[in-house]
Amino acid sequence: MTGTRYLVHGVFWDGQPAPGRGHDGGAPVMRLQSPSGDFLQLSLQPGARLGFQIVEQFRSCLGHLRVQSSVRRDHILCSTGAPAARGKQCERCFMLDESRLIHDFHRGGRVPPGLLDYLMQEHWLYVATFAGGSTKVGTASGPRKWNRLAEQGAVVARYVARAQDGRVVRILEDLVTAEAGLTQQVRSAAKTEALLQPLGEAELDALNAGHAGSVRGLLARTAVEGFTVADEQWIRPEQTSTLYSPAARHAYPHPLDNGRHGFDIAALSGTNALARLDGTDAAFVVNLGHLAARTIVLGDFASPVPAVQESLF
Ligand SMILES: [Zn+2]
């Protein structure tokens, strides 16, 4: 196999928040790790071409995070380059990963100083609704308040509380799950499937507004201290409108654990792209999240149009 072998770390949406409707905000990228340990950012903006071949059957460890402060986290690459035993990490990196500790902090868990600095900054509680109507409650740190929801692929979202730190926000999150019944996780596969037949935006907005209103009512009555109730709409990236429009589209027909793939990106929602394959007007929803921890070589490839295409229409 010729060509540089890259380890895929995933899809990230960094940069400035969208300043208003009609704007994208930031820029989505697929982050690749080169053999020397440098990172390459592949643009996933509408119009970008993505061509790659998967060159390993197994997933490799992506290393672990060490949180240095509220604004700085270091990504420590895996020293052994081991196959991933637990999702996207080897056993050692899973144990060393500090982001794991975040979820126990509000239950009295101990954390290192850098992570404590991160957790003690302002956090936001949000209610996010996805293309199929699934709704979740979640948290975001102040600096990544907008980006977190872009990376999740929310269609409509509202911030419902501004908390003084990451401990209070997770107490509120658990309270909302217990009292309002909102889940803290919407499965990745459900998000992808929902994009094949998204509900209308007005319907999703009404759903989200209803849940957000209930949560605000709940928060107004709680004895928990250290937060204020908020009522602020998240502005989604404008280019995602292409993905949420009620047009015919299909599930991407090829598994992303092997083979050669190539397509144009028409839009991106979270890790899900609307892909245009060469030689057809049909649009396909492909979950680029499946590429995380895979080893790829970039190239000028084109995904075959499925032979069963006629029956899809
Ligand atoms: Zn590792």
Side-chain angles (χ1 to χ4, degrees), residues 199-210:
L199 298 180
E201 190 172 344
E203 189 176 349
L204 293 174
D205 187 55
L207 261 173
N208 185 263

Side-chain angles (χ1 to χ4, degrees), residues 83-95:
R86 305 183 66 128
K88 303 164 196 168
Q89 290 174 305
C90 70
E91 199 69 45
R92 180 174 174 274
C93 290
F94 175 81
M95 292 311 292

Side-chain angles (χ1 to χ4, degrees), residues 61-64 77-83 89-94:
C61 177
L62 295 183
H64 63 276
L77 298 178
C78 185
S79 56
T80 60
Q89 290 174 305
C90 70
E91 199 69 45
R92 180 174 174 274
C93 290
F94 175 81

Side-chain angles (χ1 to χ4, degrees), residues 102-110 167 170-171 174 184:
I102 289 175
H103 306 285
D104 288 326
F105 180 57
H106 68 293
R107 300 187 194 103
R110 303 200 125 190
R167 186 185 65 87
R170 284 180 181 81
I171 291 171
D174 284 353
Q184 296 179 12

